[in-house]
Amino acid sequence: ETGVTQTPRHLVMGMTNKKSLKCEQHLGHNAMYWYKQSAKKPLELMFVYNFKEQTENNSVPSRFSPECPNSSHLFLHLHTLQPEDSALYLCASSQDLAGTYTQYFGPGTRLTVL
Amino acid sequence: AQKVTQAQTEISVVEKEDVTLDCVYETRDTTYYLFWYKQPPSGELVFLIRRNSFDEQNEISGRYSWNFQKSTSSFNFTITASQVVDSAVYFCAFQRAGMGGTYKYIFGTGTRLKVLA
């Protein structure tokens, strides 16, 4: 089975909708990450969780709300988004944050906000 | 501060040609890690290699090879006999070594490789 999976792969939503992105990792890792990849911009780290606890929020607007119920699952809840939030949202996982570990990425959710 | 530069925005080659993707980094750290990832059109960032700063041996994996030179702060990636399936965006990344808080990657802006049949 693929190491890190994300659903849905594509999502189109209006600005007033509420939707959620899901990420699941099957690697036995304890750290999970959300990244945003916009056209012509470097990858932006949004949130980091370690053993279910949020350890980083990179000044992300509150219309993005992460949730990590356990070390294998990570969600990104979306509400009242703006068109500029259209991007590829990538989830990643690593062993944990105590050392220097490789991050493994999922296939991403391509989000379009109308 | 750390920085990763991938000066080549886009490269086009004809199938079977060799191609080298450049990566230059800046750091004052003595211990760190460097990575290459491949992002095909499907979107997933595929891990290719991780190299620590104390290991300057070049590495070869099939048609892929990496040349790490600390003296020039470069970690270049060569694809030999390129194939259409190699078409993707390739990212170089830097990660500081150490305990706690060093998980962040500094990504380059990526190089888009187009391999033409």
Side-chain angles (χ1 to χ4, degrees), chain A residues 34-38 41-47 58 90, chain B residues 107:
Chain A
W34 278 118
Y35 284 85
K36 176 183 179 182
Q37 187 179 30
S38 305
K41 281 187 171 181
L43 276 105
E44 301 171 54
L45 180 62
M46 300 174 71
F47 301 103
N58 272 326
L90 290 160
Chain B
F107 281 98

Side-chain angles (χ1 to χ4, degrees), chain B residues 70-89:
Chain B
K70 254 177 135 169
S71 59
T72 55
S73 296
S74 65
F75 186 43
N76 296 337
F77 172 30
T78 297
I79 301 175
T80 303
S82 59
Q83 299 176 3
V84 172
V85 293
D86 296 327
S87 298
V89 180

